[in-house]
């Protein structure tokens, strides 16, 4: 008995939690236990005692579970009965809802009709208020027009009047009211326009911003920009008139420089006035180019030139420099860029498209200047022909390159036809030279072809 008590006490000190570990290894546990416990019988006794405790606990738990089964079954049956009762109640509620929907369908149709009537009455009330508001606005605007001091208040009243007018489209006197509104807007514009032009000429930023807002309230932004473009177009033409004194080739670069200066100045000035100031200033630049006398002067310059082809080439160089400046200043993705480029090249388009005809005239004039006459010696004659051939090659190369730059190759077929004709003439001259040399010196023919 003393030995058994000692074993029980020792078993209580041992750690048996490792038996429930998922990675429990019997061999490792036995080896470890034998290292600490020298008496094998004592270790076996400890395990047997633990087994007895586990068996007793398992028996107690099983007995309790068996005793609880009738109670659990009773509770499950009660829960099942309650669920059946709930199901029956839900069916009754669903039936009641269907009955209510069926009984109230006619009533809901009546409610919908009443709601539509309510909306129509509300709309009528709003129109009556707008009609009454129109009368009040008429009197207030007449008083403001008599003073002509608070133009901003006038524009605000007109904006409210425009909103009122939009709600009165079905009234019999709508046309009369619309004419009244347009007349008032025209009257306000007539009052503002001289002041707007003066503000634009003096670059009064605050005043121009105020007038821009007024035109915006009147829904007349396009009219405002027409004033802006016309005013600056007049100023640009005045600047250009002072420059256009010599021949076109001299003053044209200055004209383009002045126009770019105006664009740069206006872009900086418009930055705080217009939300889309870049588009506005590009459009101003386009208007300035369209409404100048460049086309007339270019036509006269080319017509009066002894060599029209050379005149076109000279003007093309000027235009290309201007287009290069534009590409540096203005993004090609900006709205208004394409119309601007069209305005730049418009004065020269018809001349560029007749590039082939002018090239033909120029080459005919040039081929007559080439020296392919018989020299004193055969060596001199060969050198003369060689020099003419080099000049011919350079001339042809320049003509093709210029065609690509001016027309993007659009009239290259005409240029090729001209060059074929040109080479034919030159070949004829060389053939004549060959015959002449053969006649003078039968023993020393010069193979020129």
């Amino acid at each position: 008995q003393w030995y058994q008590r000692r074993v029980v006490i020792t078993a209580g000190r041992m750690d048996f939690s490792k038996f429930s570990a998922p990675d429990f290894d019997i061999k490792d546990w036995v080896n470890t236990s034998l290292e600490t416990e020298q008496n094998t019988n004592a270790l076996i006794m400890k395990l047997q005692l633990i087994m007895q405790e586990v068996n007793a606990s398992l028996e107690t738990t099983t007995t309790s579970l068996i005793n609880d089964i009738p109670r659990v079954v009773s509770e499950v049956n009660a829960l099942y009965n309650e669920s059946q009762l709930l199901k029956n109640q839900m069916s009754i509620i669903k039936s009641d809802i269907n009955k209510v929907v069926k009984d109230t369908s006619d009533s809901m149709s009546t409610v919908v009709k009443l709601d539509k009537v309510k909306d129509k009455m509300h709309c009528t009330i709003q129109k009556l208020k707008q009609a009454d508001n129109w009368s009040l606005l008429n009197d207030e605007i007449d008083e403001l027009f008599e003073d002509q001091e608070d133009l901003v208040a006038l524009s605000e009243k007109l904006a409210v009047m425009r909103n009122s007018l939009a709600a009165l489209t079905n009234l019999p006197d709508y046309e009369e009211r619309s004419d009244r509104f347009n007349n008032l807007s025209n009257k306000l514009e007539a009052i503002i326009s001289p002041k707007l032009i003066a503000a634009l000429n003096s670059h009064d930023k605050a005043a121009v911003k105020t007038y821009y807002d007024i035109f915006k309230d009147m829904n007349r932004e396009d009219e405002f920009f027409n004033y802006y473009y016309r005013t600056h177009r007049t100023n640009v033409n005045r600047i250009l008139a002072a420059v256009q004194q010599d021949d076109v080739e001299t003053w044209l670069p200055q004209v383009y420089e002045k126009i770019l200066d105006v664009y740069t100045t206006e872009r900086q000035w418009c930055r705080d006035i217009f939300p889309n100031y870049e588009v506005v200033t590009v459009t101003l630049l386009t208007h300035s180019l369209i409404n100048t006398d460049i086309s007339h002067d270019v036509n006269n310059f080319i017509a009066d030139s002894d060599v029209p082809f050379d005149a076109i080439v000279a003007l093309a160089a000027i235009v290309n420099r201007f287009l290069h400046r534009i590409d540096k200043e203005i993004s090609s993705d900006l709205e208004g860029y394409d119309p601007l480029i069209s305005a730049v090249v418009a004065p020269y388009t018809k001349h560029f498209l007749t590039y082939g005809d002018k090239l033909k005239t120029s080459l005919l004039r040039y081929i007559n200047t080439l020296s392919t006459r018989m020299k004193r010696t055969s060596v001199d004659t060969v050198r003369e022909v060689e020099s003419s051939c080099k000049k011919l090659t350079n001339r042809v190369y320049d003509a093709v390159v210029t065609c690509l730059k001016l027309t993007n190759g659009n009239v290259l077929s005409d240029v090729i036809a001209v060059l074929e004709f040109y080479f034919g003439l030159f070949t004829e001259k060389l053939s004549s030279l060959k015959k002449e040399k053969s006649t003078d010196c039968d023993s020393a023919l010069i193979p020129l072809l």
Side-chain angles (χ1 to χ4, degrees):
Q1 293 179 354
W2 174 84
Y3 177 75
Q4 290 181 347
R5 285 198 301 270
R6 182 175 179 274
V7 169
V8 170
I9 294 172
T10 307
R13 297 175 182 175
M14 293 185 66
D15 182 12
F16 296 98
S17 61
K18 294 183 179 180
F19 283 89
S20 60
D23 57 346
F24 175 72
D25 189 344
I26 297 176
K27 294 180 180 180
D28 291 342
W29 188 87
V30 170
N31 293 330
T32 304
S33 300
L34 290 176
E35 291 177 357
T36 55
E37 183 65 49
Q38 300 297 329
N39 191 339
T40 304
N41 292 329
L43 180 61
I44 294 173
M45 182 63 71
K46 291 178 184 179
L47 292 175
Q48 289 176 345
L49 290 174
I50 292 298
M51 286 177 62
Q52 291 177 3
E53 292 180 4
V54 171
N55 288 335
S57 175
L58 181 61
E59 183 178 356
T60 302
T61 303
T62 303
T63 303
S64 175
L65 181 60
I66 293 173
N67 293 332
D68 289 341
I69 285 178
R71 180 176 58 79
V72 172
V73 171
S74 177
E75 291 178 355
V76 168
N77 290 333
L79 181 62
Y80 174 76
N81 293 332
E82 290 179 359
S83 65
Q84 290 296 321
L85 179 63
L86 178 62
K87 179 180 179 181
N88 294 333
Q89 290 177 348
M90 292 298 293
S91 299
I92 294 173
I93 293 173
K94 181 179 179 181
S95 177
D96 292 341
I97 291 174
N98 291 333
K99 182 179 179 181
V100 170
V101 171
K102 182 177 179 180
D103 294 341
T104 59
S105 59
D106 295 336
S107 300
M108 290 300 295
S109 177
T110 304
V111 171
V112 171
K113 291 179 180 178
L114 290 174
D115 185 66
K116 292 181 178 178
V117 171
K118 174 188 172 184
D119 292 339
K120 292 180 179 179
M121 292 179 65
H122 179 73
C123 182
T124 302
I125 292 172
Q126 292 297 322
K127 289 189 175 182
L128 290 173
K129 289 182 178 179
Q130 293 293 351
D132 182 58
N133 192 31
W134 176 275
S135 302
L136 295 175
L137 287 171
N138 257 329
D139 297 336
E140 293 176 359
I141 285 179
D142 288 336
E143 293 178 1
L144 290 172
F145 269 115
E146 290 179 0
D147 296 336
Q148 294 188 7
E149 293 181 358
D150 195 349
L151 298 178
V152 175
L154 263 173
S155 67
E156 292 174 352
K157 295 294 182 183
L158 283 175
V160 177
M161 182 176 281
R162 183 177 65 251
N163 295 332
S164 299
L165 185 64
L168 304 175
T169 54
N170 296 325
L171 294 182
D173 60 345
Y174 173 77
E175 293 295 333
E176 181 181 347
R177 293 173 186 265
S178 180
D179 292 339
R180 165 70 172 166
F181 172 75
N182 290 329
N183 291 334
L184 291 174
S185 298
N186 293 336
K187 187 176 180 180
L188 178 58
E189 182 178 338
I191 295 173
I192 293 176
S193 57
K195 300 179 180 181
L196 172 60
I197 293 172
L200 289 172
N201 287 326
S202 62
H203 266 193
D204 188 343
K205 185 180 293 187
V208 171
K209 181 69 168 64
T210 300
Y211 297 140
Y212 171 70
D213 292 337
I214 292 175
F215 273 82
K216 190 175 181 180
D217 289 339
M218 293 193 299
N219 200 21
R220 293 193 173 190
E221 286 184 85
D222 292 339
E223 290 298 322
F224 174 88
F225 288 119
N226 286 336
Y227 282 108
Y228 175 74
Y229 296 140
R230 284 198 299 268
T231 301
H232 284 288
R233 189 169 62 228
T234 302
N235 295 335
V236 169
N237 287 334
R238 190 181 301 115
I239 294 173
L240 299 184
V243 179
Q244 295 171 321
Q245 295 178 355
D246 301 323
D247 61 279
V248 174
E249 194 174 359
T250 302
W251 60 255
L252 187 58
Q254 301 178 33
V255 167
Y256 286 146
E257 190 67 28
K258 293 290 184 181
I259 290 176
L260 279 178
D261 289 342
V262 171
Y263 164 76
T264 304
T265 302
E266 287 301 311
R267 183 177 60 178
Q268 185 64 30
W269 184 76
C270 293
R271 188 184 298 271
D272 299 328
I273 301 177
F274 310 123
N276 57 338
Y277 68 94
E278 289 185 334
V279 176
V280 172
T281 49
V282 167
T283 306
L284 171 63
L285 184 57
T286 303
H287 279 257
S288 301
L289 289 167
I290 292 175
N291 293 277
T292 58
D293 294 331
I294 293 178
S295 296
H296 176 72
D297 293 328
V298 165
N299 294 338
N300 291 338
F301 176 72
I302 295 175
D304 297 340
S305 176
D306 294 335
V307 185
F309 175 78
D310 292 342
I312 293 178
V313 173
L315 293 178
I318 297 173
V319 174
N320 285 331
R321 287 196 296 269
F322 181 53
L323 291 174
H324 181 68
R325 287 284 306 278
I326 288 177
D327 286 336
K328 291 177 62 177
E329 296 285 342
I330 303 171
S331 171
S332 59
D333 297 330
L334 186 66
E335 180 184 352
Y337 177 84
D338 291 339
L340 171 61
I341 299 303
S342 298
V344 173
V345 301
Y348 315 94
T349 301
K350 67 178 183 179
H351 301 292
F352 292 164
L353 294 178
T354 59
Y355 178 82
D357 296 336
K358 292 182 172 58
L359 175 62
K360 183 176 181 180
T361 303
S362 175
L363 291 179
L364 285 175
R365 184 190 301 269
Y366 181 73
I367 200 172
N368 292 327
T369 64
L370 293 178
S371 177
T372 55
R373 295 175 298 175
M374 184 67 64
K375 299 298 181 180
R376 295 180 59 185
T377 65
S378 298
V379 175
D380 292 338
T381 303
V382 171
R383 288 176 179 172
E384 187 71 22
V385 172
E386 182 183 8
S387 175
S388 297
C389 288
K390 288 182 179 179
K391 293 178 181 179
L392 170 66
T393 303
N394 293 334
R395 190 73 174 184
V396 169
Y397 176 80
D398 292 340
V400 173
V401 171
T402 304
C403 171
L404 294 175
K405 288 182 178 179
L406 292 183
T407 68
N408 198 24
N410 290 326
V411 296
L412 190 58
S413 58
D414 297 337
V415 173
I416 292 174
V418 171
L419 295 179
E420 289 177 351
F421 176 75
Y422 180 49
F423 281 116
L425 290 179
F426 190 71
T427 302
E428 291 177 3
K429 294 192 70 172
L430 293 180
S431 297
S432 299
L433 179 61
K434 178 182 177 181
K435 291 178 181 179
E436 181 182 353
K437 187 63 176 175
S438 296
T439 303
D440 293 346
C441 185
D442 292 336
S443 61
L445 293 177
I446 301 177
L448 298 176
L449 293 176

